[in-house]
Amino acid sequence: MMNRTTLSSPLVALLMFLPTAASGAVIQTACESASGSSTYVLAFDTTKREGLIRYRNKSQDILYKVRINAIADGIIQGTATFAKSKTGETKGDPFRMRLNLKTFTLYDNDNPRKCDL
């Protein structure tokens, strides 16, 4: 389970819907694998249809750019591509991502990650 002290930070743990001119939202949250070994910190701008995912596990700290392809019925879908790494990686495989706001679940390809919303 995620550390509540760490997740109390508004940037990391809060799901925020901030109205914008185009009726979009800025969404920020943290998600965790079932084993607890991997965390994902998300920041999406649904108006611009872009965002970032910071993926961290024991040996990696990688930032992915997200291009949002679809938003419907409480589900945000897109593609995440490697942007940069703090741990030495120079590339990474793109992955399909889906954030279900109804079940508070992030899917990395088809792998579910529970989010703290």
Side-chain angles (χ1 to χ4, degrees), residues 32-54:
E32 184 175 74
S33 64
S35 68
S37 63
S38 299
T39 59
Y40 299 71
V41 178
L42 287 62
F44 295 155
D45 183 326
T46 61
T47 301
K48 294 180 180 178
R49 292 186 168 255
E50 62 186 27
L52 298 171
I53 294 177
R54 182 177 182 188

Side-chain angles (χ1 to χ4, degrees), residues 18-34:
L18 303 174
T20 63
S23 299
V26 172
I27 298 171
Q28 298 177 337
T29 190
C31 308
E32 184 175 74
S33 64

Side-chain angles (χ1 to χ4, degrees), residues 35-93:
S35 68
S37 63
S38 299
T39 59
Y40 299 71
V41 178
L42 287 62
F44 295 155
D45 183 326
T46 61
T47 301
K48 294 180 180 178
R49 292 186 168 255
E50 62 186 27
L52 298 171
I53 294 177
R54 182 177 182 188
Y55 167 76
R56 292 188 293 176
N57 70 20
K58 293 176 184 151
S59 63
Q60 294 178 312
D61 189 347
I62 300 173
L63 186 66
Y64 288 88
K65 287 183 183 180
V66 174
R67 182 75 184 137
I68 297 172
N69 302 321
I71 304 170
D73 299 323
I75 298 174
I76 299 171
Q77 297 182 65
T79 303
T81 55
F82 179 86
K84 64 181 179 178
S85 169
K86 290 185 174 187
T87 50
E89 293 80 11
T90 58
K91 62 182 180 174
D93 293 330

Side-chain angles (χ1 to χ4, degrees), residues 31-35 37-40 42 53 55 93-100 103-115:
C31 308
E32 184 175 74
S33 64
S35 68
S37 63
S38 299
T39 59
Y40 299 71
L42 287 62
I53 294 177
Y55 167 76
D93 293 330
F95 63 92
R96 293 181 334 267
M97 57 81 26
R98 185 173 75 245
L99 178 61
N100 186 321
T103 63
F104 311 121
T105 306
L106 169 71
Y107 294 87
D108 166 349
N109 290 319
D110 290 322
N111 303 306
R113 313 299 188 206
K114 193 67 179 161
C115 300

